[in-house]
Amino acid sequence: MTTDRDGERPRDGFEVFRDDRGIPHLRAPDALALARAQGHNAALDRAWQLETERHRLLGTTAAHLGAEAADWDGFARRARLADTARRCYARLAPETAAWVAAYVDGVNAGLAEGAARAPEFAAARLAPGRWEPWTPLGVWLATHILFAGFPTKLWREEVARRLGEDHLTLFATDGPGTSGSNGWLARAERTATGAAIIAGDPHRFIEDPGVYQQIRLACPAFDVVGLAVPGVPGIAHFGHTGGVAWAITNAMADYQDLYRERLRRTASGTVEAFGTDGWYAVHAHTETIEVAGAAPRTVEVIETDRGPVITGGPAASGDAPATAVSLRHPPRVTGELGFDALPALLRSRTVADLDAALDRWVEPVNVVLAADTTGAALHRTAGHVPVRPYENRLRVVPADDPAYAWREGVEPLPRTAVGSTAVMANERGLAAPLGVEFAPPHRADRIQALLDGRTDWTPADMAAVHTDTLLASARPLLELLAGTTGLGPAALRLRARLLAWDRRMDAGSTEATLYARLRTEVVRRLAGHPALAAVTGADDPWRSTAYPPVFRPWLAAVPRIGYALETLLTAGLLPYEDRSALVAAAAEAVAATCADGPGPSPWGEVHRVSPWQALPDATPEEVWPGLAGDHDCVLSTSGVPGVTDLFARGPAARFVWDVARRDNSLWAVPFGASGVPGSAHHRDQTPLWASGGLAPVVTDWNLLHRTEESTAMTIPPTGTTGTTGTTGTTGTSGTTGTSGTSGASPTTGTSPTAGAALSTAGAAVPALRPAAYEQKVEGFGTVRMVPVDPGADAGLLHGWVTEERARFWGMGDHTREEVREIYAYVDSLPTHHAYLALRDGVPAALFQTYEPAADPVGECYDVLPGDVGVHLLIAAGDGAVRGYTAALLTAFVGFVFSDPACLRVVVEPDARNAKALDRMVRIGFRLGPEIEKPEKTARLAFLTRAALRLP
């Protein structure tokens, strides 16, 4: 380590090596330096991805992605993802918090350089922002908040209401965005290596850049290879420490509850909910979502005793109470996200170490397989499943009935002994006591059958399991097809061809394409059957305006029918005659299309990956590869039966961990190590991934390439994370803030009375603007002062100044355009400046400074040299945070007095605003005389540096 003479913290050296595929291998002198190195590397390789995830957790994506992103932003705000992440960070063990903060230091140090490499920032006209210490927890939460599929309970409610209570679980199977992952373990007696082999492939939505990053993290305390989640430190799900290796799949557990709330608004504007003891006031505030190319949207954030309200809202004052739905989930309730497990996983040397680390796991609930070099093995579940009635797992339950409340403790987490092999594939197996809907057993059964077929498995042999394409779920449809009667000649030929098919969804198979066409026809005809008419067509729940659009994938009937096709073709919903006739009609329709046009294309030509991209138009249009496989194959490349053969879900990575020799391990990802378009390693793994191939895990440092990134990284001064303030502008004060505010750690930027240079530096999203001042207030968060952008902020400011609570501001009847014009005028003045105060990146208040001698108020009292006038409007705050207003005032006072030229602060609140005057007196203001202004009778108040004992 070296020490910088300018007073910065020590600079932590680290080394970056890369293999021939650009996969980073990071080496540092200690765990904290390594965490900074990992954050720095993620910022360089995945800057756009990191910022996309940060905006997703904040609910600010629409500001640069447009209206299509606003629905997610509304959900993120209403679900209070950022606030939950802050809570969870505050509860971390001190050593874990320092480790996460070190990672964030690295992200902030590398983000500007990484953004300069990524063309998406220019395409979106977006500047990189600033990560807070809790941001990685928010990234993890935003990634997994829908992982357990709580919107399925909304679907079941619609099914029960429309089809009857006895059909509540008719469609109970794995649905959108939950299953498809595989993992398996073969112990030494089944391998040729003399030790266990663990392999698998997590199936998630395929994202570009990929959701997993191949990486190696090495320091004296540990040396781990695995798959990291960009934006999150460490290696959580799939790793090999040299002594122990592990892998996970989704346990399909149910641990998130929905409560039916009754809400009303009182005459005073307070929101109330009806609970077990009657009506009570709940937290409520409004937030504005900025939308690129469209008008801003306002969302009301409400939280009851159960949790945040995610759909619905209160009735107007005087109306009958309205129904809403709140979400209760463990991180919001306990303030625990499981991050304390992450450093322990990295340090694990044995199965026992790993098992102990997993006891701290929370979200999401997983099934885990692990093995170590001593021969020990592990098969367990990990996570937090609350104790409550089984009905909570099935549907929305009443909030005012104490019978549905969570009980003390957590559900026991199942585990089992490991035989010669073990399999986990989201099936109703080990985790059955924890959930409701699971994957069909086909993938698990097929993997087990393959493993049982030999006793000499090697790492390279495992690719045959990864890529197996047998579709066992085709049996019910083909059996019905075999029994159909009265088919025409073309349909008979189709039937003969499909009954002779080997049921493998191979990329080159035209029979696989024919089967997919037949399945699509059957799904669509089922959707048109009178027995399902109440949930299809015009009555399809996804068309309902009662639910936010973000839940539509769980509410759409045709995909539900497609995923549950095996059940619907064998259960008693339709009589056999109807099912047979439906399949016969579908066969005739498919046969007619084949007769009238060219023959079917090979499956791999129509079954192509369709990855999610935050900004699809940022890179040239690409032809994405086609793959073998299908939803219930081991190679689970999942389209939407009845909707499209394109697939958005598939293997987000593949890996094989050789416990005996880590350097014999193998891996691959869909795209490449780099998230930067045009990089040599942006797409170099795609052909390998599409063909089912695997690349070697290189662990010999001598075979790696040391890069120019192997330099010391400058860490910003204590109390900040990343680069703050504004440089290169006039009026920078260079002071160290105020020493008279306890529990605060300030960082200065630009003088509060010299903001003109900043006023033109606005970005559409306030959090992306350079800060004039920054201060960390303990127990509250980081407050940053950024200049108001009149155009970008007009909607936000209009929402604030026209609220009843802001009546003393005197702008209650102003239009949005009038508010914009006012602040454009303020922005033009060299003596008046307007700032937004951001609490952890979220706008919390409007703060204005002015020179009294250049303002009408200067005519009402004797202006002294060093006087600075201020106006303050605090938005509706977080009622759960004690001392919310006082914390903001601490930062405001620090901001103004950070300029040594400021000797006295002058305020002039409405003389009728007794609450504001009392607050001013409590923090040290001395009340002056009342003065008459055109718009109000005001009361002057003064706060001097001497009153705060400042130099």
Side-chain angles (χ1 to χ4, degrees):
M1 293 187 180
T2 60
T3 302
D4 187 82
R5 288 180 297 177
D6 292 333
E8 293 171 327
R9 295 200 338 238
R11 297 183 300 176
D12 296 279
F14 62 87
E15 297 175 289
V16 179
F17 297 78
R18 294 186 185 267
D19 66 12
D20 290 341
R21 295 187 180 274
I23 295 168
H25 294 243
L26 311 180
R27 190 163 66 184
D30 57 55
L32 288 182
L34 185 60
R36 294 186 187 103
Q38 187 183 8
H40 188 263
N41 170 262
L44 295 185
D45 284 3
R46 305 290 185 98
W48 173 250
Q49 182 179 19
L50 262 59
E51 281 297 87
T52 295
E53 294 303 324
R54 186 178 67 85
H55 282 289
R56 278 175 56 79
L57 83 91
L58 292 175
T60 54
T61 59
H64 60 278
L65 296 180
E68 290 186 359
D71 294 325
W72 167 266
D73 286 354
F75 168 71
R77 304 286 189 97
R78 298 187 78 176
R80 310 198 74 186
L81 299 184
D83 187 70
T84 303
R86 281 192 293 263
R87 288 187 183 184
C88 293
Y89 180 81
R91 289 182 61 87
L92 289 177
E95 60 273 18
T96 306
W99 178 71
V100 175
Y103 179 89
V104 171
D105 280 340
V107 170
N108 283 324
L111 204 50
E113 182 181 348
R117 300 178 181 182
E120 295 95 338
F121 285 91
R125 298 184 179 182
L126 181 68
R130 180 181 180 279
W131 281 49
E132 301 293 342
W134 51 266
T135 299
L137 286 80
V139 169
W140 187 262
L141 184 62
T143 299
H144 294 102
I145 187 67
L146 295 172
F147 211 63
F150 68 80
T152 296
K153 297 177 184 182
L154 302 175
W155 163 257
R156 292 195 201 112
E157 287 292 338
E158 293 295 328
V159 170
R161 182 171 65 85
R162 297 160 183 248
L163 298 180
E165 289 287 335
D166 54 334
H167 290 313
L168 179 69
T169 59
L170 175 65
F171 300 88
T173 185
D174 57 315
T178 51
S179 79
S181 299
N182 303 307
W184 60 92
L185 181 156
R187 298 187 81 167
E189 58 265 36
R190 288 280 182 173
T191 74
T193 67
I197 296 174
I198 296 175
D201 49 357
H203 287 68
R204 293 180 176 236
F205 283 105
I206 303 298
E207 300 180 14
D208 177 28
V211 69
Y212 286 115
Q213 179 193 27
Q214 300 151 297
I215 200 167
R216 181 184 187 181
L217 304 174
C219 67
F222 52 82
D223 183 340
V224 188
V225 298
L227 301 173
V229 175
V232 177
I235 294 170
H237 284 160
F238 312 96
H240 194 327
T241 72
V244 62
W246 74 95
I248 63 93
T249 59
N250 183 1
M252 307 294 285
D254 185 278
Y255 49 89
Q256 300 167 323
D257 284 353
L258 298 182
Y259 286 89
R260 185 176 298 103
E261 304 275 3
R262 284 192 288 164
L263 303 178
R264 69 183 184 186
R265 197 182 306 277
T266 67
S268 65
T270 301
V271 177
E272 294 183 335
F274 191 78
T276 56
D277 297 319
W279 291 102
Y280 67 97
V282 300
H283 170 87
H285 71 272
T286 59
E287 297 183 12
T288 300
I289 298 172
E290 298 297 332
V291 183
R297 301 185 186 183
T298 299
V299 60
E300 186 170 24
V301 180
I302 299 170
E303 185 164 11
T304 73
D305 285 352
R306 266 68 54 192
V309 171
I310 57 168
T311 180
S317 176
D319 292 347
T323 299
V325 175
S326 62
L327 169 65
R328 187 172 183 83
H329 61 115
R332 187 67 186 166
V333 175
T334 66
E336 299 285 351
L337 199 53
F339 265 46
D340 284 322
L342 297 182
L345 290 174
L346 297 176
R347 290 181 166 85
S348 296
R349 291 291 178 268
T350 66
V351 159
D353 295 338
L354 192 87
D355 195 15
L358 291 170
D359 286 340
R360 287 171 270 184
W361 192 265
V362 175
E363 168 98 5
V365 180
N366 293 324
V367 177
V368 185
L369 287 174
D372 65 24
T373 52
T374 72
L378 176 71
H379 191 185
R380 63 164 290 181
T381 51
H384 182 118
V385 179
V387 178
R388 76 277 203 221
Y390 186 77
E391 182 111 350
N392 291 43
R393 300 186 187 182
L394 290 173
R395 62 195 312 172
V396 184
V397 294
D400 58 350
D401 189 336
Y404 299 102
W406 287 12
R407 286 83 184 264
E408 291 293 327
V410 297
E411 293 285 358
L413 295 172
R415 61 173 62 222
T416 188
V418 181
S420 63
T421 60
V423 177
M424 52 183 183
N426 316 119
E427 79 283 9
R428 190 180 295 275
L430 181 66
L434 305 179
V436 175
E437 298 194 11
F438 295 86
H442 307 305
R443 286 184 290 108
D445 290 348
R446 180 60 179 166
I447 295 170
Q448 189 63 63
L450 291 170
L451 293 178
D452 289 345
R454 56 190 295 182
T455 58
D456 59 347
W457 286 99
T458 67
D461 295 332
M462 290 300 178
V465 182
H466 282 122
T467 57
D468 189 81
T469 61
L470 184 68
L471 187 66
S473 62
R475 182 184 59 81
L477 176 51
L478 294 179
E479 286 182 351
L480 281 169
L481 179 64
T484 54
T485 59
L487 295 178
L492 285 171
R493 288 192 295 273
L494 171 69
R495 181 173 70 174
R497 190 172 175 183
L498 286 177
L499 294 181
W501 172 48
D502 61 6
R503 302 185 188 180
R504 291 185 175 275
M505 301 297 284
D506 292 333
S509 171
T510 53
E511 286 78 13
T513 304
L514 284 174
Y515 173 78
R517 287 186 184 179
L518 178 65
R519 180 176 60 187
T520 292
E521 281 295 323
V522 170
V523 169
R524 291 174 179 173
R525 290 170 188 272
L526 267 174
H529 194 281
L532 294 175
V535 293
T536 58
D539 293 322
D540 194 323
W542 82 268
R543 300 178 185 275
S544 172
T545 59
Y547 305 111
V550 73
F551 299 146
R552 283 180 180 169
W554 288 265
L555 294 168
V558 173
R560 286 284 179 187
I561 293 168
Y563 288 123
L565 184 61
E566 192 176 5
T567 299
L568 295 175
L569 291 180
T570 56
L573 177 68
L574 302 182
Y576 174 82
E577 292 76 16
D578 282 15
R579 284 178 268 149
S580 179
L582 189 147
V583 171
E588 293 286 3
V590 173
T593 61
C594 292
D596 295 339
S601 300
W603 180 233
E605 291 186 12
V606 297
H607 188 58
R608 296 184 177 275
V609 64
S610 179
W612 181 83
Q613 296 173 294
L615 198 67
D617 298 329
T619 55
E621 195 170 316
E622 299 183 57
V623 178
W624 298 104
L627 266 71
D630 196 60
H631 186 65
D632 289 321
C633 299
V634 176
L635 179 51
S636 182
T637 49
S638 184
V640 184
V643 178
T644 180
D645 290 329
L646 299 176
F647 69 93
R649 285 181 50 80
R654 296 192 188 98
F655 62 89
V656 181
W657 301 142
D658 185 346
V659 175
R661 287 189 59 187
R662 190 171 64 171
D663 56 356
N664 282 341
S665 299
L666 303 163
W667 53 10
V669 293
F671 303 118
S674 174
V676 181
S679 162
H681 303 297
H682 186 223
R683 293 278 189 270
D684 62 330
Q685 293 189 54
T686 299
L688 187 73
W689 172 79
S691 65
L694 294 162
V697 175
V698 181
T699 59
D700 186 343
W701 294 101
N702 295 317
L703 299 178
L704 301 171
H705 312 290
R706 195 171 187 272
T707 75
E708 289 302 317
E709 300 159 64
S710 311
T711 57
M713 182 183 72
T714 300
I715 305 301
T718 301
T720 71
T721 309
T723 303
T724 61
T726 301
T727 60
T729 60
T730 59
T732 53
S733 65
T735 63
T736 57
T738 173
S739 59
T741 50
S742 61
S745 177
T747 302
T748 64
T750 299
S751 163
T753 57
L758 279 174
S759 65
T760 58
V765 180
L768 300 181
R769 298 173 199 162
Y773 179 81
E774 180 173 315
Q775 183 168 319
K776 183 175 181 180
V777 182
E778 187 169 346
F780 180 74
T782 299
V783 178
R784 301 176 68 234
M785 307 295 292
V786 301
V788 165
D789 182 321
D793 298 336
L796 173 70
L797 297 177
H798 179 258
W800 287 355
V801 301
T802 56
E803 289 181 337
E804 168 59 24
R805 58 186 304 279
R807 61 189 180 277
F808 295 117
W809 204 254
M811 297 172 67
D813 59 350
H814 284 48
T815 66
R816 185 176 186 275
E817 178 58 22
E818 288 171 335
V819 171
R820 187 200 65 77
E821 291 175 353
I822 288 171
Y823 283 97
Y825 174 69
V826 171
D827 190 48
S828 71
L829 300 175
T831 56
H832 291 62
H833 312 293
Y835 303 89
L836 287 178
L838 310 181
R839 177 199 178 207
D840 290 333
V842 178
L846 171 64
F847 188 69
Q848 296 175 210
T849 65
Y850 62 92
E851 297 176 18
D855 189 89
V857 76
E859 301 174 2
C860 303
Y861 84 105
D862 293 330
V863 178
L864 299 179
D867 278 2
V868 175
V870 302
H871 298 301
L872 170 63
L873 175 61
I874 298 178
D878 187 342
V881 178
R882 188 175 181 180
Y884 186 93
T885 299
L888 285 173
L889 287 172
T890 295
F892 298 148
V893 169
F895 174 37
V896 178
F897 283 120
S898 68
D899 183 357
C902 176
L903 303 179
R904 185 171 68 162
V905 173
V906 181
V907 296
E908 28 134 349
D910 192 299
R912 299 167 296 170
N913 193 347
K915 187 174 181 181
L917 291 169
D918 289 344
R919 186 180 297 121
M920 297 299 176
V921 170
R922 286 198 301 272
I923 64 174
F925 278 84
R926 177 180 58 79
L927 295 181
E930 290 188 358
I931 59 173
E932 294 298 329
K933 299 188 67 181
E935 71 279 11
K936 65 181 179 182
T937 298
R939 182 77 180 267
L940 290 172
F942 305 92
L943 180 66
T944 64
R945 298 182 77 89
L948 295 177
R949 299 181 181 178
L950 298 177

